[in-house]
Amino acid sequence: MSKQVPYFWFMTIQTPNGAGYRINSYQGVLTPEPGTTRLRLFNEIREEIDRRDPLAVGGVVISFDVQPNNL
């Protein structure tokens, strides 16, 4: 059985607005199920950001990283 490991993630999203662009960064820690892929985490995180911040919907991800939270 695989040990579940907490991961730190961040994502920066750029969306156009009337003054040019809005750039927001989001971060958190999650513990994915064993076998979860990086792409699946990316999509799940992006969907959660869109639910929490409607202004991020339709924006472009300009930065993303996910790594084990332990140093």
Side-chain angles (χ1 to χ4, degrees):
M1 180 154 139
S2 298
K3 179 183 173 191
Q4 290 184 298
V5 176
Y7 282 80
F8 169 79
W9 63 269
F10 78 88
M11 184 178 286
T12 303
I13 299 174
Q14 175 180 300
T15 51
N17 65 20
Y21 292 96
R22 173 183 186 258
I23 298 176
N24 271 28
S25 291
Y26 309 85
Q27 63 278 324
V29 175
L30 54 78
T31 303
E33 295 295 320
T36 300
T37 65
R38 186 177 172 90
L39 178 60
R40 180 174 169 189
L41 284 180
F42 175 92
N43 289 327
E44 288 176 2
I45 290 167
R46 180 58 202 259
E47 289 172 5
E48 180 62 24
I49 289 171
D50 286 351
R51 277 192 294 276
R52 290 184 185 182
D53 182 2
L55 295 176
V57 174
V60 175
V61 175
I62 58 175
S63 182
F64 171 71
D65 193 22
V66 60
Q67 297 186 30
N69 195 41
N70 297 333
L71 297 176

